[in-house]
Amino acid sequence: MELLQSLDFWIGLIEIIWINIILSGDNAVVIALAARSLPPKQQQRAIVFGSGAAVVLRIALTVVAAKLLALPYLQIVGGCLLLWIGVQLLGEEEEGEGESKTYGSLLAAVRTILIADLVMSLDNVIAVAAAAQGSMVLLIFGLAISIPLVVFGASLMVKLMARFPFIITVGAALIGWVAGETIVGDAVLKGVLAAAPWLHYAAGAAGALFVVGVGKALSARSHAAPAAG
């Protein structure tokens, strides 16, 4: 009870919620891209389950995030994994209405959400942990409150993607951008990045172009094969 009456607690809580609003936009895009491939009745369940599980994962990550980021090649591997996820999600863009989706099950969509969120949240959780100032209660409370924010953002993105398909490409490009930034931010490239800070943006742009280019090419080839047959 004394904790709830502390000004520092409420300031920290507001900081955590605000950090999640700012940093969860790309996570909402991933959740929306994975959920849109499901039947309409399962989309909301995937969003809720994926968002809730991702927040729990972030709480666990917070304890070890700083040490994980210091491991060499971890972010390179994670960034490459994120590139693959972006390409796979974009590959569904041009499927016709009513066709079966690549991610046909709720479990597969939630798994995609968790893998992508795991990679994308490594940097984010450090900012959240700093705002919590060592208080696990504040950390859990703040991240739990952020679940509805991520759910709302993902639900809105699903509707926008259905109405404006070009947003799918933009979302996939965002995933590629984050992947490029993640790769170049690896511990083994710290000295290179310090000497050439512009590589941060160049890598992001390269990642975005890679996901869009490869994703579009694979999609075009998959559609050309049945036509040729």
Side-chain angles (χ1 to χ4, degrees):
M1 197 66 181
E2 293 181 3
L3 184 63
L4 296 178
Q5 296 175 350
S6 169
L7 179 61
D8 290 339
F9 173 84
W10 291 106
I11 292 176
L13 180 61
I14 292 172
E15 288 178 349
I16 289 176
I17 294 174
W18 185 243
I19 288 170
N20 274 281
I21 292 175
I22 295 173
L23 299 180
S24 294
D26 48 4
N27 300 87
V29 169
V30 170
I31 293 171
L33 283 170
R36 74 184 178 85
S37 64
L38 295 171
K41 292 182 179 179
Q42 292 188 0
Q43 285 183 353
Q44 197 61 32
R45 292 173 63 189
I47 291 172
V48 173
F49 292 161
S51 301
V55 169
V56 173
L57 184 64
R58 289 189 193 190
I59 293 174
L61 264 180
T62 303
V63 181
V64 295
K67 294 182 179 179
L68 286 176
L69 286 174
L71 294 177
Y73 305 109
L74 178 66
Q75 287 188 247
I76 293 177
V77 173
C80 291
L81 181 60
L82 206 54
L83 287 174
W84 178 81
I85 290 174
V87 168
Q88 293 299 310
L89 292 176
L90 183 59
E92 300 174 1
E93 177 190 3
E94 297 177 4
E95 289 185 357
E97 293 295 329
E99 291 185 4
S100 60
K101 304 293 186 178
T102 302
Y103 294 88
S105 71
L106 179 64
L107 180 61
V110 172
R111 185 173 64 243
T112 300
I113 292 168
L114 284 177
I115 293 173
D117 194 83
L118 173 65
V119 177
M120 300 170 79
S121 295
L122 282 174
D123 290 326
N124 297 4
V125 293
I126 292 180
V128 173
Q133 297 181 350
S135 172
M136 188 57 65
V137 174
L138 180 57
L139 175 66
I140 296 174
F141 195 22
L143 289 177
I145 290 178
S146 73
I147 293 178
L149 299 174
V150 178
V151 169
F152 173 76
S155 300
L156 178 62
M157 287 302 301
V158 168
K159 294 177 181 177
L160 289 175
M161 287 174 182
R163 187 169 182 180
F164 306 105
F166 74 90
I167 295 179
I168 297 171
T169 302
V170 174
L174 175 61
I175 295 174
W177 182 282
V178 174
E181 290 182 327
T182 301
I183 291 172
V184 80
D186 191 88
V188 298
L189 299 175
K190 187 175 181 181
V192 177
L193 191 61
W198 57 270
L199 284 175
H200 177 82
Y201 303 101
L209 291 173
F210 177 84
V211 167
V212 173
V214 175
K216 289 283 189 179
L218 292 177
S219 179
R221 189 172 67 175
S222 66
H223 284 79

